[in-house]
Amino acid sequence: MAKPIMAKATAVWLVDNTTISFKQIADFVGMHELEVQGIADGDVAQGVKGFDPIANNQLTQEEIDAAQNNPMHKLKLKFNAAAEGEEKRRGPRYTPLSKRQDRPASILWLVKFHPELSDGQVSKLVGTTKPTIQAIRERTHWNISNIQPIDPVALGLCKQSELDAAVQKAAAKKAAAGEVMNDDERRKLVSTEQSLGMDSEPKIPTAIEGLETFTLSGNSADDEEDDHSKGDYSDADSFFSLPEKADEDDEDEDKAKG
């Protein structure tokens, strides 16, 4: 059901100027009944000026009278033809002034971790323009050296469900185009719930890729020859014994000296 504009100010006016129950007012403006009661007690909305729904074409006097006479009557917003289809308006989302400085960081995060998202999808998620997205993609943004990527969900610029929906749409579009995706891209193209539920896959470091079938075992015949050439050094005498040729050379030297 459509809600009135300036809901809290409208609730203040209804509390001050009518005898409508707190529950009726809460249902009409989309607030909690205890919050409306807090307005009546002066604990909530202090300093908020009441907003007349009759003068602003949101309620009729007959509707207010019917609600005052019947506690079960639900207030209905007056039909406004100019507001028809207003909730389905397309275009970039409105971003509060306090969060607009965070948009470049969220754009960089989306461009870095979800490059499959189109500029239009990024624009709708964080409420920005395509030239800004293009500048960050090409790293020509005037402040690109100081921008750090931050998740737009963490910044409050969009909901996790909206991000997941955009990622799923990009996944379907890429699959329809027949493009081949690697494991990392496939993980990026699933929702958060699916990604967290996946089993971790063991990966080989890039530095040793292609060497997974490499073995240190050589030719067994060569190994046997090496063992024989080394000799048997099981006891100390054989280890410290000198070659026979060396002994003959020593004898010749002794004869020459004698």
Side-chain angles (χ1 to χ4, degrees), residues 23-233:
K23 182 155 189 347
Q24 288 173 295
I25 296 174
D27 292 340
F28 176 65
V29 300
M31 297 171 63
H32 194 278
E33 184 178 352
L34 293 177
E35 193 173 1
V36 177
Q37 184 176 350
I39 292 176
D41 295 338
D43 299 330
V44 179
Q46 295 181 2
V48 176
K49 185 179 180 181
F51 186 74
D52 188 350
I54 300 176
N56 291 280
N57 202 29
Q58 297 190 96
L59 280 176
T60 61
Q61 185 62 50
E62 291 77 12
E63 186 71 12
I64 291 178
D65 293 339
Q68 290 181 136
N69 296 329
N70 181 11
M72 301 300 294
H73 181 80
K74 291 187 177 182
L75 289 168
K76 295 181 181 179
L77 193 66
K78 187 178 178 180
F79 176 74
N80 184 1
E84 186 69 19
E86 188 72 12
E87 294 181 356
K88 298 181 180 179
R89 175 186 293 178
R90 294 188 177 185
R93 114 185 13 251
Y94 172 76
T95 305
L97 291 173
S98 60
K99 295 183 178 181
R100 290 184 185 180
Q101 61 184 359
D102 297 329
R103 283 188 298 192
S106 63
I107 295 171
L108 183 58
W109 189 91
L110 292 171
V111 168
K112 181 177 181 180
F113 295 104
H114 291 287
E116 71 280 355
L117 294 176
S118 66
D119 290 355
Q121 288 177 304
V122 175
S123 176
K124 289 181 180 180
L125 284 172
V126 300
T128 186
T129 60
K130 290 185 179 181
T132 303
I133 300 172
Q134 195 65 26
I136 293 178
R137 281 188 189 274
E138 298 174 355
R139 303 192 67 83
T140 58
H141 190 274
W142 65 273
N143 196 31
I144 191 65
S145 59
N146 298 321
I147 300 176
Q148 297 296 327
I150 304 176
D151 189 345
V153 178
L155 292 173
L157 294 174
C158 68
K159 299 178 181 178
Q160 186 64 56
S161 58
E162 295 171 339
L163 177 58
D164 289 344
V167 170
Q168 289 292 337
K169 188 175 181 180
K173 186 175 180 181
K174 196 162 188 176
E179 298 181 23
V180 179
M181 296 180 292
N182 55 38
D183 292 340
D184 292 335
E185 289 177 336
R186 190 174 291 106
R187 283 183 176 273
K188 291 178 181 178
L189 293 175
V190 297
S191 64
T192 304
E193 291 79 6
Q194 292 174 333
S195 179
L196 293 176
M198 289 182 176
D199 296 332
S200 58
E201 298 180 0
K203 292 187 177 181
I204 299 174
T206 307
I208 62 172
E209 283 185 357
L211 300 178
E212 50 271 30
T213 59
F214 178 77
T215 60
L216 296 176
S217 60
N219 191 344
S220 58
D222 295 339
D223 293 341
E224 292 178 358
E225 292 178 1
D226 292 341
D227 292 339
H228 289 303
S229 64
K230 291 179 182 178
D232 184 13
Y233 300 130

